[in-house]
Amino acid sequence: TNPFVGQEVVITYKLYSRVTVAHYSIEEAPGFQGFWAEDITAEGHPSVSEAVIDGQRYNVAVIRQVVVFPQRAGRLTIEPLEVLSLVRVASPRRTGSLFDDFFSGTGFGAFQAVEHRFRSNPVQINSREVPAQNRPAGFNGAVGNFDLKTDANPLTVNVNEPVSFTLTISGTGNLKMISSPEMELSPHLEVFDPNTTDELKTGLDGMSGHRTFEYLIVPRTRGVFEIPSVRFSFFDPLSRQFVTRTSQSLTIEVAGDALPATLATPGIAQSDVLYLTSDIRFIQNHLFRLQPIGTIFFNSIWYYVLLTLPVVLFGGFILFWKRHVKLRQDIALMKNLKAQKIAKKRLKKASIYLREMKATEFYEEIFKALWGYVSDKFNIPVFKLNKDNVIEVFSHKGINPSLADQFLSTLDECEFARFAPGAPEKRLDETYQRSMEMLVNLEKNLKNG
């Protein structure tokens, strides 16, 4: 919580729970004002462990991890993370069939899903300025622990033949914020802007890897030239000292005579070279248009077309934007329009579990797809959904009774499968195909109705 400017800080968000969390989603991601941030959250399901706090046992899930680098000194705040969850809680038991009594404790029995919204605590970071005392002249803000390596190839060339000079900085720290070191070369060596490549990885230990700067150097006269040693300075936050790495100097031997500027230079595109000698440019070699004398653009047809076009486009944009805002404000309509799309996305995820033969996850995803479709399509909150509501809304919307029965039986099958010891691949595939066809038929029924 007391880093130096440019030093990595790992932020971990953990969800502590003593109830069953059916689903959670990040509603509002925190801002990182004053930081450069990179998300390092692991893909897939979060890792879960147990912890005892004040005598109570909690399930602890790591839901997000971020590495941040403070960009200025002073008091900085890590803003809260807002999460929306669906929690399964006990509900009053209703008298039902023997089937319902047997499976009490399922989504149709003695439990219901309740929305719960909560925020994490803010965290204060006291960022410190890198010390000014003993700061090297070439220090450009690098914080961490780094090594420096240089190489040039080839070292023996002819005039106007390119030499590739690479400078590699490797280690751990804020590598993405390191700029190319300055070099002082002979005026007879022309240096082009470097090409920067990164091979980095970011994890709980911060950022590590290497950043490479590749320079193209073109000698313009014969002789022996030196690429002087490069100095790179950084601040090590562990030892709290400045460190300077120095590379070895390299020598280039250049033979031959300078070529005329009109000749192509091996290894260099003509468009990349502005001057080959002191005052000769490459010839203009592309086609250009001629225009008859007396032809003017002002008062022509195209003049008035282009003059009125922005007004027409702006008017069309205003109409489009008003319609877009109106649609966005109608939350129920937006959910209705996106219901089928979201359901298909969940079915696609279920198909992955089908291929992997993960029956429990497969039926859970099918259940979410069908249940979520009804919730979004008919604007019924998830925690208010039950069999009676589904039957009532299907009847009100004129859904085919056989299709409604098929929908409810598929939901029952998903719930039953959670208690079954396993399901053959054929049964999983049949459930998947039936769910796909059912969503298509429901959309057709609603459109026809």
Side-chain angles (χ1 to χ4, degrees):
T1 56
N2 296 283
F4 289 97
V5 173
Q7 183 181 3
E8 70 272 5
V9 178
V10 179
I11 303 170
T12 302
Y13 297 90
K14 296 181 179 180
L15 178 62
Y16 290 78
S17 174
R18 292 196 298 118
V19 294
T20 301
V21 179
H23 175 74
Y24 76 90
S25 62
I26 296 176
E27 291 292 289
E28 183 178 343
F32 296 103
Q33 187 174 1
F35 296 93
W36 181 87
E38 183 163 345
D39 192 348
I40 59 169
T41 306
E43 296 182 358
H45 296 292
S47 60
V48 180
S49 59
E50 290 187 349
V52 177
I53 302 175
D54 297 332
Q56 299 285 352
R57 185 175 299 277
Y58 289 83
N59 290 323
V60 185
V62 177
I63 61 176
R64 197 176 191 218
Q65 289 185 306
V66 183
V67 172
V68 299
F69 297 84
Q71 300 297 288
R72 56 180 171 85
R75 191 178 181 87
L76 304 174
T77 302
I78 304 297
E79 298 176 0
L81 178 76
E82 185 171 318
V83 176
L84 177 66
S85 69
L86 284 178
V87 181
R88 288 183 179 175
V89 297
S91 61
R93 187 166 179 179
R94 297 181 294 107
T95 303
S97 63
L98 291 175
F99 181 85
D100 290 334
D101 291 338
F102 181 78
F103 289 107
S104 61
T106 70
F108 295 118
F111 288 89
Q112 64 179 354
V114 177
E115 286 188 352
H116 181 61
R117 190 184 303 271
F118 49 92
R119 296 162 65 89
S120 65
N121 55 298
V123 178
Q124 299 296 328
I125 301 293
N126 296 312
S127 177
R128 296 171 288 171
E129 192 69 66
V130 173
Q133 186 178 6
N134 300 325
R135 182 181 295 189
F139 177 71
N140 61 0
V143 177
N145 190 7
F146 306 100
D147 288 318
L148 176 66
K149 180 183 178 183
T150 57
D151 186 31
N153 184 50
L155 296 177
T156 302
V157 294
N158 293 320
V159 173
N160 292 327
E161 290 183 348
V163 175
S164 175
F165 175 73
T166 57
L167 185 151
T168 303
I169 299 173
S170 59
T172 59
N174 56 350
L175 282 157
K176 280 192 176 181
M177 288 168 273
I178 294 178
S179 56
S180 57
E182 295 183 0
M183 296 192 304
E184 295 183 2
L185 300 179
S186 166
H188 299 291
L189 298 177
E190 184 174 3
V191 184
F192 293 84
D193 291 335
N195 180 36
T196 306
T197 56
D198 293 327
E199 289 191 17
L200 308 173
K201 63 178 182 179
T202 307
L204 296 178
D205 297 329
M207 183 179 295
S208 62
H210 62 264
R211 166 166 278 199
T212 301
F213 303 95
E214 183 177 6
Y215 298 82
L216 186 66
I217 301 176
V218 181
R220 296 309 185 191
T221 59
R222 64 186 302 172
V224 178
F225 302 98
E226 181 186 38
I227 300 179
S229 59
V230 179
R231 295 170 60 87
F232 173 68
S233 300
F234 60 89
F235 178 74
D236 187 347
L238 297 180
S239 63
R240 300 188 179 183
Q241 293 180 348
F242 289 97
V243 181
T244 300
R245 307 290 190 200
T246 305
S247 67
Q248 294 183 344
S249 60
L250 300 170
T251 302
I252 302 175
E253 296 182 5
V254 183
D257 297 322
L259 296 175
T262 54
L263 296 180
T265 303
I268 307 175
Q270 294 183 5
S271 60
D272 290 337
V273 182
L274 182 60
Y275 295 100
L276 281 183
T277 58
S278 61
D279 61 353
I280 299 179
R281 297 174 183 263
F282 278 109
I283 191 171
Q284 181 90 298
N285 57 10
H286 62 269
L287 297 177
F288 54 90
R289 293 185 60 189
L290 298 176
Q291 190 171 359
I293 296 175
T295 302
I296 58 175
F297 177 69
F298 181 69
N299 277 339
S300 65
I301 295 177
W302 280 109
Y303 171 79
Y304 288 106
V305 170
L306 296 178
L307 190 65
T308 57
L309 186 60
V311 179
V312 175
L313 292 177
F314 182 73
F317 172 77
I318 293 297
L319 293 175
F320 169 79
W321 183 252
K322 284 185 176 180
R323 182 177 180 274
H324 175 73
V325 170
K326 186 177 180 181
L327 286 175
R328 295 288 293 182
Q329 290 176 344
D330 191 342
I331 298 176
L333 178 60
M334 291 298 295
K335 285 187 174 182
N336 183 286
L337 295 175
K338 293 182 179 181
Q340 187 181 23
K341 182 179 179 181
I342 295 174
K344 286 184 177 180
K345 188 180 294 185
R346 284 170 171 161
L347 286 177
K348 185 177 180 181
K349 189 174 181 180
S351 67
I352 298 175
Y353 293 135
L354 173 62
R355 290 195 298 270
E356 298 174 354
M357 287 303 295
K358 295 181 178 179
T360 302
E361 291 85 349
F362 169 80
Y363 283 111
E364 182 75 19
E365 209 61 39
I366 292 291
F367 181 85
K368 289 180 181 178
L370 300 180
W371 216 228
Y373 174 83
V374 174
S375 174
D376 293 339
K377 199 70 178 178
F378 304 114
N379 194 27
I380 304 174
V382 175
F383 63 88
K384 291 185 178 180
L385 279 176
N386 54 52
K387 282 184 176 181
D388 296 335
N389 287 345
V390 173
I391 294 172
E392 182 180 348
V393 75
F394 276 17
S395 176
H396 179 70
K397 294 294 183 179
I399 302 295
N400 191 313
S402 61
L403 187 58
D405 292 341
Q406 186 182 6
F407 182 89
L408 294 174
S409 65
T410 304
L411 288 176
D412 287 340
E413 180 183 348
C414 293
E415 285 295 315
F416 178 81
R418 299 175 64 187
F419 295 89
E425 182 177 358
K426 182 178 179 182
R427 198 175 101 196
L428 294 178
D429 187 63
E430 290 175 354
T431 303
Y432 179 77
Q433 296 297 332
R434 185 167 65 253
S435 300
M436 288 283 289
E437 293 173 1
M438 191 160 30
L439 284 177
V440 173
N441 292 332
L442 279 173
E443 282 291 320
K444 287 181 179 179
N445 265 240
L446 291 172
K447 288 179 181 178
N448 295 333

